[in-house]
Amino acid sequence: AHHIEHWAAGGATEAANLVFLCSRHHRFVHEEHWVISGNPAEELSFASPAGRTFRSRTVPLRPAISERIFGPGEPRAPGSHPESPNGP
């Protein structure tokens, strides 16, 4: 998980400030100076060092995975359906 607002700058370690990245994309942020902004429950923007911006709508975690990561009873992304294994 990557903090959108870095924890050293006061970014909270909570779902609204975390995005799950594979190791390659996590390296892009830390070593190649890509910048992530936005709300993980809605839309994220990825800005390259050259200034190009890419937007991505997030896909809610499946309920079983969300529970393993955050514990039972954690709020889900807006629009997700707890009874559906794949979100909305």
Side-chain angles (χ1 to χ4, degrees), residues 9-62:
T13 302
E14 58 187 31
N17 190 43
L18 296 172
V19 60
F20 291 98
L21 302 173
C22 68
S23 58
R24 178 178 182 213
H25 290 106
H26 201 227
R27 190 181 78 247
F28 280 8
V29 174
H30 286 285
E31 296 177 17
E32 298 184 27
H33 310 290
W34 283 68
V35 176
I36 301 173
S37 60
N39 181 338
E42 296 172 7
E43 183 176 90
L44 293 170
S45 293
F46 299 83
S48 75
R52 269 188 89 185
T53 301
F54 303 87
R55 294 185 181 190
S56 176
R57 291 224 173 254
T58 61
V59 177
L61 291 173
R62 291 187 312 231

